[in-house]
């Protein structure tokens, strides 16, 4: 993994590659599960002619993001020090080492299945890879497992697009948006039309779309201040 800027570059490279007509197995999770796990968790893909990504200056020149990018490994000390002081080595191992292994392993595992198996509401014609919705992991992954929706609307801040798709990440964003901390949120209806996007599900007319809502917690905070 990496800091926020490094994650943006990795994510944009993967999404760009998956939208092409052909894609390297490393970037499309196209190998058998054990080989893919070894690749994703232990290796890096170096391209001879990588695409160039231009990150908005609001991010690339932001002092806070640059600081987090340079210190992301050391951020574990914020949690590691109190864990060690409270519970010693055992708390440190379980709270840092085991937690990181489970988090990174879980991130890869959801990514593997989200590009190979699961429900599909949409199809992106001409793309080497189709995303899949992994319903069992929707809540646990903070919405990341609604990956078919992400492939359909990559610019959307909302991943769980329907009421039966729990999206914890969106709930947090919705609260922050209500508080005025997060702005300029993009949703599917505000994104450019994609002629290559085709609906596969036959029950779209009966499904309830999720929309931004007034948050009672945010309203209480606003009234209190």
């Amino acid at each position: 993994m990496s800091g926020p800027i490094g994650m943006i570059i990795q994510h944009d490279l993967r999404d760009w590659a998956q939208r092409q007509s052909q894609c390297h197995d490393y970037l499309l999770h196209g190998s058998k599960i054990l080989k893919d796990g070894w690749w994703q968790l232990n290796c890096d893909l170096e391209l001879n002619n990588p695409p160039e990504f231009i990150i908005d200056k609001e991010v690339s020149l932001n002092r806070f993001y640059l600081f987090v990018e340079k210190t992301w490994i050391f951020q574990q000390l914020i949690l590691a020090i109190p864990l060690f002081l409270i519970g010693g080595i055992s708390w440190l191992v379980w709270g840092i080492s085991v937690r990181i292994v489970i988090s990174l392993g879980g991130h890869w595992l959801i990514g593997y299945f989200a590009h190979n198996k699961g429900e599909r509401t949409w199809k992106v014609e001409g793309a080497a890879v189709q995303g899949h919705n992994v319903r069992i992991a929707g809540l646990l992954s903070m919405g990341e497992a609604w990956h078919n929706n992400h492939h359909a609307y990559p610019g959307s801040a909302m991943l769980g697009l329907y009421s039966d798709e729990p999206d914890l990440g969106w709930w947090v964003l919705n609260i922050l948006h209500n508080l005025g901390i997060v702005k300029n949120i993009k949703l599917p209806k505000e994104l450019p039309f994609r002629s290559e996007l085709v609906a596969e599900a036959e029950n779209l007319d009966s499904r309830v779309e999720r929309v931004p809502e007034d948050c009672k917690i945010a309203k209480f905070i606003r009234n209190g201040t």
Side-chain angles (χ1 to χ4, degrees), residues 4-200:
I5 296 176
M7 287 294 292
I8 290 174
I9 295 173
Q10 291 182 37
H11 180 270
D12 284 358
L13 172 63
R14 188 177 300 275
D15 276 19
W16 170 83
Q18 291 176 352
R19 288 194 295 266
Q20 308 308 306
S21 58
Q22 293 182 323
C23 180
H24 191 283
D25 280 354
Y26 179 91
L27 294 171
L28 61 79
H29 293 280
S31 301
K32 296 295 184 180
I33 188 169
L34 293 180
K35 181 179 179 180
D36 187 74
W38 173 259
W39 271 6
Q40 300 295 332
L41 298 175
N42 296 278
C43 305
D44 190 17
L45 178 66
E46 295 186 4
L47 302 177
N48 293 328
N49 298 291
E52 181 180 359
F53 298 107
I54 300 176
I55 302 176
D56 292 342
K57 292 183 179 180
E58 293 179 354
V59 175
S60 63
L61 300 181
N62 184 285
R63 292 183 179 180
F64 173 74
Y65 292 143
L66 289 173
F67 172 77
V68 175
E69 180 72 20
K70 292 179 180 179
T71 63
W72 68 274
I73 292 180
F74 300 104
Q75 292 163 27
Q76 295 298 328
L77 293 175
I78 299 173
L79 181 60
I81 292 174
L83 284 175
F84 178 75
L85 293 176
I86 295 171
I89 292 295
S90 61
W91 279 44
L92 184 65
V93 170
W94 283 98
I96 301 297
S97 303
V98 175
R99 177 180 59 83
I100 291 176
V101 169
I102 293 175
S103 297
L104 291 180
H107 180 272
W108 156 72
L109 196 61
I110 290 173
Y112 178 82
F113 285 110
H115 290 99
N116 286 282
K117 298 180 180 180
E119 304 172 10
R120 280 195 352 208
T121 304
W122 316 91
K123 177 182 179 181
V124 182
E125 292 187 333
V129 186
Q130 302 296 325
H132 300 262
N133 291 331
V134 185
R135 183 166 294 275
I136 193 173
L139 187 61
L140 181 64
S141 65
M142 297 190 71
E144 176 68 18
W146 305 117
H147 214 67
N148 179 254
N149 298 342
H150 173 60
H151 276 234
Y153 300 102
S156 174
M158 180 191 294
L159 296 177
L161 302 182
Y162 300 96
S163 59
D164 62 340
E165 297 175 344
D167 183 352
L168 184 58
W170 166 252
W171 296 342
V172 173
L173 281 176
N174 189 60
I175 292 173
L176 296 176
H177 181 64
N178 274 259
L179 290 171
I181 299 174
V182 171
K183 301 179 181 179
N184 301 321
I185 285 179
K186 297 295 183 181
L187 300 178
K189 291 184 178 180
E190 300 165 351
L191 298 175
F193 172 76
R194 301 181 67 189
S195 60
E196 70 273 22
L197 185 62
V198 178
E200 285 193 329

